[in-house]
Amino acid sequence: MGIRSAFDEIMGQGGSTTPRPELAALGDWLDETPDAELRRRQQSAEATFRQLGITFAVYGDSDASERIIPFDIVPRIFLADEWSRLSEGLVQRVEAINAFLDDIYGDRKILKAGILPEDLIFGNPQFRPEIAGMRPPHGIWAHICGIDLVRTGPDEFFVLEDNARTPSGVSYMLENREAMLRLCPELFRDFRVAAVDSYPDRLLETMKSVAPHGSGQNPVCVVLTPGHYNSAYYEHSFLADSMGIELVEAADLVVDDDIVWMRTIAGRVKVDVIYRRIDDDYLDPLVFRPDSMLGVPGLIAAYAAGNVALLNAPGNGIADDKAIYSYMPEIVRFYSGGEPKLPNVETWRCREPQALKYVLDNLEDVVVKLVDGSGGYGMLVGPTATRAEIETFRAALIAEPHRYIAQPTLALSTVPTLSDSGLAPRHVDFRPFVLTGSRGVQVVPGGLTRVALKEGSLVVNSSQGGGTKDSFVLMDGGNSQTQGQQL
């Protein structure tokens, strides 16, 4: 599968030299802007990111603890009708994820109906029995979802994975747009692009809408961070700052009589809503890991008493799990009563003997992933792996098949990207952000496009050398003289 055969989102089917008709203006811009000028603008954006401290850490890499994620100046563009179809599918999927979480920690109708094997839930380290029977305020579990999508053709979009725990990357979406508005204003004259800068306001509205009953007109909301050593700390502080709310660490909070209080210079302030960027394991040492220094003792008791909302709800990791992902079409059908509008990538569950045999026979052609893996770690990309890597994975699969799923190697779509030798197609994926509050579900018109900067590579993760692009969502009427400011 060569990069040439992949669908290019600007140029159309592999090998075309003229843009798709709706995107002719972008083709003209690329033709008319000298290569040196594109590079100057790109370097200017990256210099700004470095100055702002928009970095991420690569764990276990002694070479460089913090780096900026490389930025590419050529935007990715979604047409209005493409976005409309995507949004419908995303809303349906996130509603099903919320219904699934509510059910798994409640009545468990889906298990009684035999749709999922029970051991897939109860034997899963991401299932939190401590949470069973608790209901979050307003019954919403996954308030902030990042649903990773891939594209293989003009109308072929697939969900690659669901992120319902603490999805990151929204600060890059916002900063990439800021950079493009500053450096390439002419593109916003050529295209009517939906604005993304209201995301912090939308997030704050979502937080306030799920405050426990009795929190009053102006509930106190905070962002809880594990601290500045965390790889996404820039995003935590960026979002707290953008929303105008406090960024707190565990030491700033205390639970007294099942109520969460924030210590301030002026005294204690009752906290109603916490956007937590700490994994379940570390959230409350009285319930989860007793050695956690990052959590707040008593937080789960306050949550169980209905006195604080936690975004996202504890226990959500079960919806992220890649073995559960493989059942998402059945999960969507069970809770929505309809067919999934966004299909999954075909997935083989290695815990099933027939699937394991197929995967072992075809390791050089498939992608193998840990069911609880993330960030591109613990993964085999068969077509680009060495013989030794394939044999190492073969042994791991035979030893613990239940820990893995496998998927075909898809011809991911490409977008023209500035490489050392000029513009060249590079594979991309996409993470749109979906917010669910007590007033419903909304899809932010944009998202994080990640791009594999190495020629032919399908691995887009920043920790594995990927970069990012701005994602333009065109409003109806596509080409215009003004950038849309309303969402």
Side-chain angles (χ1 to χ4, degrees):
M1 180 211 70
I3 204 161
R4 281 261 162 246
S5 62
F7 170 72
D8 190 273
E9 298 190 9
I10 307 300
M11 310 307 282
Q13 220 50 54
S16 169
T17 53
T18 54
R20 295 161 67 198
E22 309 92 332
L23 304 178
L26 185 69
D28 293 342
W29 178 75
L30 290 173
D31 289 340
E32 292 160 11
T33 311
D35 184 77
E37 176 59 16
L38 288 176
R39 287 183 196 284
R40 186 196 67 76
R41 294 184 192 188
Q42 185 157 304
Q43 284 158 3
S44 171
E46 292 189 345
T48 303
F49 293 165
R50 198 169 280 108
Q51 211 175 349
L52 288 169
I54 309 177
T55 58
F56 73 99
V58 180
Y59 295 123
D61 184 346
S62 56
D63 184 31
S65 59
E66 297 219 331
R67 310 170 181 172
I68 65 160
I69 295 183
F71 169 72
D72 187 73
I73 197 82
V74 184
R76 179 202 209 150
I77 300 181
F78 292 96
L79 304 177
D81 61 331
E82 291 171 350
W83 188 254
S84 172
R85 290 197 304 276
L86 272 184
S87 293
E88 283 179 20
L90 289 165
V91 168
Q92 179 197 46
R93 193 165 181 109
V94 167
E95 285 178 343
I97 286 171
N98 268 299
F100 168 69
L101 288 163
D102 204 45
D103 187 23
I104 284 302
Y105 290 109
D107 295 340
R108 299 177 181 153
K109 291 176 184 157
I110 198 165
L111 297 184
K112 290 168 187 161
I115 307 291
L116 296 180
E118 290 199 1
D119 70 299
L120 197 62
I121 302 294
F122 301 132
N124 195 309
Q126 291 301 329
F127 177 72
R128 305 291 182 181
E130 305 90 340
I131 300 299
M134 294 183 195
R135 283 200 91 227
H138 307 273
I140 298 162
W141 295 75
H143 312 82
I144 304 146
C145 286
I147 308 293
D148 288 352
L149 303 174
V150 291
R151 185 177 192 176
T152 57
D155 299 308
E156 287 82 49
F157 290 91
F158 298 89
V159 177
L160 190 61
E161 62 184 51
D162 302 291
N163 296 283
R165 273 179 278 186
T166 53
S168 61
V170 78
S171 59
Y172 292 100
M173 171 184 83
L174 296 169
E175 294 288 13
N176 286 352
R177 174 60 52 83
E178 192 66 35
M180 290 297 285
L181 282 165
R182 187 167 50 83
L183 295 167
C184 306
E186 65 276 20
L187 282 176
F188 297 90
R189 290 192 292 272
D190 291 339
F191 293 106
R192 285 187 76 220
V193 182
V196 293
D197 56 5
S198 67
Y199 178 83
D201 293 340
R202 288 170 174 238
L203 177 56
L204 186 57
E205 271 171 36
T206 301
M207 290 177 74
K208 288 181 172 177
S209 80
V210 296
H213 298 293
S215 297
Q217 285 296 304
N218 205 15
V220 174
C221 304
V222 299
V223 176
L224 174 61
T225 176
H228 63 276
Y229 293 111
N230 183 267
S231 63
Y233 180 73
Y234 171 80
E235 179 156 297
H236 308 166
S237 56
F238 174 90
L239 286 171
D241 196 40
S242 304
M243 290 188 282
I245 64 177
E246 294 294 332
L247 179 69
V248 298
E249 295 184 29
D252 301 313
L253 300 179
V254 63
V255 178
D256 193 355
D257 201 16
D258 290 347
I259 290 173
V260 182
W261 300 89
M262 173 170 55
R263 297 183 171 103
T264 74
I265 297 165
R268 298 201 312 187
V269 175
K270 181 173 173 288
V271 174
D272 303 298
V273 185
I274 299 175
Y275 176 18
R276 52 92 175 209
R277 296 295 294 257
I278 293 177
D279 289 343
D280 286 357
D281 274 344
Y282 301 96
L283 201 51
D284 181 343
L286 300 183
V287 176
F288 302 118
R289 281 183 62 154
D291 61 341
S292 170
M293 305 295 289
L294 302 173
V296 183
L299 185 58
I300 297 300
Y303 174 70
N307 293 332
V308 69
L310 297 174
L311 283 69
N312 283 330
N316 274 20
I318 190 76
D320 268 19
D321 182 87
K322 292 181 179 64
I324 297 292
Y325 158 92
S326 71
Y327 284 97
M328 275 305 290
E330 291 91 331
I331 290 170
V332 170
R333 282 186 206 104
F334 185 79
Y335 296 109
S336 74
E339 281 303 303
K341 294 175 183 176
L342 278 174
N344 268 19
V345 176
E346 185 183 4
T347 302
W348 295 283
R349 298 184 272 262
C350 298
R351 70 205 301 275
E352 296 169 3
Q354 280 302 105
L356 177 63
K357 181 181 184 314
Y358 176 85
V359 173
L360 290 171
D361 289 347
N362 294 275
L363 272 178
E364 59 284 348
D365 298 321
V366 298
V367 178
V368 186
K369 301 175 181 177
L370 279 167
V371 293
D372 57 352
S374 64
Y377 294 103
M379 178 169 147
L380 175 82
V381 181
T384 61
T386 64
R387 177 54 48 199
E389 286 167 339
I390 286 175
E391 292 314 313
T392 301
F393 248 82
R394 185 185 304 281
L397 271 168
I398 292 167
E400 297 183 295
H402 63 282
R403 294 191 65 209
Y404 296 92
I405 54 124
Q407 294 171 329
T409 312
L410 298 179
L412 301 189
S413 60
T414 59
V415 175
T417 299
L418 204 52
S419 74
D420 291 341
S421 55
L423 287 172
R426 291 290 183 265
H427 294 295
V428 291
D429 80 351
F430 185 56
R431 177 176 292 180
F433 294 94
V434 185
L435 296 174
T436 305
S438 62
R439 299 183 193 100
V441 185
Q442 51 183 326
V443 183
V444 183
L448 180 66
T449 287
R450 300 183 301 180
V451 54
L453 296 175
K454 294 174 191 158
E455 184 175 1
S457 172
L458 296 168
V459 182
V460 297
N461 305 77
S462 50
S463 53
Q464 312 288 316
T468 67
K469 290 173 170 287
D470 192 6
S471 313
F472 286 13
V473 171
L474 301 191
M475 297 190 291
D476 280 328
N479 291 9
S480 170
Q481 298 307 304
T482 57
Q483 188 215 2
Q485 292 306 315
Q486 296 304 310
L487 297 175

